[in-house]
């Protein structure tokens, strides 16, 4: 059940745009966002799906609809079974599409510079009286369920493959992406003070479905 979408322009730090695209094309009422170094194993995934099915049945019993659900679930700090503390990236969340778009999605004014995409989204969620931000962490720990950070360092073979792949990539894909926070932090400050409006235009790039064709 894998579908791949390709963005046709090489926009620096287009995290918000890609996330908006995912929520625009997803045919489910909920979307799980994760980070590249976070592992969500089959047991946790099954638990999440079962929990959402139960929630959906409860909504239908109240003559409501999951399409109008207004919850964002967060994965907060966890103490792993081995005693190692793991603080998931702010991007790791499970949100109803209704809540996501009610909050205006991710602000694409931040595209082109690094940082603040998830921070701004959650800032709006915490302050919207119609949106409920909930934690999944306590329930998961009580059930001995954990998401994990992929701690293992890459093997020498994997590092060599990555370097070789980068060297073979077209020049525009080898451009450096500096992680300078100041630009987007300023934009975030302006928006919080209502000196700049929140973005209301989405998918400012070409895109197409790459698989399956």
């Amino acid at each position: 059940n894998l579908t791949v979408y390709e963005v046709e322009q090489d926009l620096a730090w287009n995290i918000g745009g890609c996330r908006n695209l995912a929520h625009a094309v997803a045919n489910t009422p909920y979307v799980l966002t994760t980070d590249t170094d976070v592992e969500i194993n089959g047991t946790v995934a099954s638990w999440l799906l079962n929990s959402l099915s139960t929630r959906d049945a409860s909504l239908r019993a109240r003559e409501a609809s999951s399409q109008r659900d207004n919850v964002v679930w967060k994965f907060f700090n966890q103490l792993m079974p081995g005693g190692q503390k793991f603080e998931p990236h702010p991007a790791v969340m499970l949100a109803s599409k209704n809540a996501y778009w009610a909050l205006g999605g991710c602000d694409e004014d931040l595209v082109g510079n690094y940082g603040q995409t998830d921070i701004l989204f959650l800032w709006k969620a915490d302050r919207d009286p119609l949106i409920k931000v909930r934690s999944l962490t306590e329930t998961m720990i009580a059930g001995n369920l954990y998401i994990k950070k992929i701690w293992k360092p890459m093997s020498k073979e994997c590092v060599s493959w990555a370097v070789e792949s980068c060297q073979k990539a077209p020049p525009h894909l080898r451009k450096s992406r500096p992680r300078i926070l100041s630009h987007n932090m300023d934009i975030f400050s302006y928006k919080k003070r209502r000196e700049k409006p929140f973005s209301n235009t989405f998918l400012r790039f070409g895109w197409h479905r790459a698989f399956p064709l």
Side-chain angles (χ1 to χ4, degrees):
N1 295 325
L2 175 66
T3 305
V4 178
Y5 291 85
E6 183 176 350
V7 174
E8 295 168 357
Q9 287 80 41
D10 179 32
L11 304 177
W13 301 112
N14 189 20
I15 296 167
C18 291
R19 200 161 298 155
N20 287 340
L21 174 59
H23 284 78
V25 301
N27 59 3
T28 55
Y30 303 95
V31 175
L32 174 64
T33 306
T34 185
D35 206 21
T36 53
D37 60 353
V38 171
E39 174 189 321
I40 297 179
N41 61 38
T43 302
V44 172
S46 295
W47 175 77
L48 289 172
L49 288 171
N50 290 334
S51 298
L52 290 177
S53 296
T54 301
R55 183 178 181 84
D56 195 37
S58 175
L59 288 169
R60 287 199 304 271
R62 300 199 307 268
E63 297 184 351
S65 167
S66 59
Q67 299 292 346
R68 295 194 298 274
D69 204 359
N70 62 345
V71 179
V72 176
W73 288 279
K74 283 293 299 160
F75 299 84
F76 292 102
N77 294 355
Q78 296 183 146
L79 191 64
M80 306 302 289
Q84 193 171 36
K85 184 179 179 181
F86 173 35
E87 182 178 357
H89 189 280
V92 184
M93 69 181 80
L94 175 66
S96 70
K97 285 178 62 176
N98 179 75
Y100 184 87
W101 290 118
L103 290 166
C106 286
D107 197 310
E108 294 190 31
D109 290 347
L110 301 174
V111 173
N113 292 276
Y114 176 72
Q116 305 302 298
T117 299
D118 309 294
I119 304 300
L120 175 54
F121 178 83
L122 292 171
W123 181 87
K124 291 193 294 182
D126 285 333
R127 286 157 180 79
D128 192 314
L130 300 179
I131 302 299
K132 301 172 184 176
V133 180
R134 299 286 185 262
S135 170
L136 283 171
T137 302
E138 292 79 7
T139 305
M140 290 177 62
I141 292 176
N144 201 30
L145 297 165
Y146 298 89
I147 62 173
K148 300 178 181 178
K149 186 174 180 65
I150 303 173
W151 299 101
K152 294 180 180 179
M154 290 192 297
S155 66
K156 291 182 179 179
E157 293 78 8
C158 187
V159 171
S160 297
W161 173 84
V163 170
E164 182 180 352
S165 297
C166 288
Q167 290 173 343
K168 291 180 179 179
H172 73 280
L173 294 180
R174 284 187 263 131
K175 290 187 295 186
S176 174
R177 301 296 193 207
R179 298 191 176 199
I180 300 173
L181 284 167
S182 56
H183 183 276
N184 280 356
M185 287 181 71
D186 287 344
I187 291 180
F188 185 15
S189 296
Y190 294 142
K191 289 175 183 282
K192 285 194 294 184
R193 297 194 300 264
R194 301 298 193 269
E195 294 175 12
K196 284 183 178 291
F198 295 114
S199 168
N200 60 4
T201 58
F202 308 101
L203 308 186
R204 306 173 184 178
F205 46 82
W207 58 274
H208 62 272
R209 190 168 74 171
F211 177 86
L213 298 175

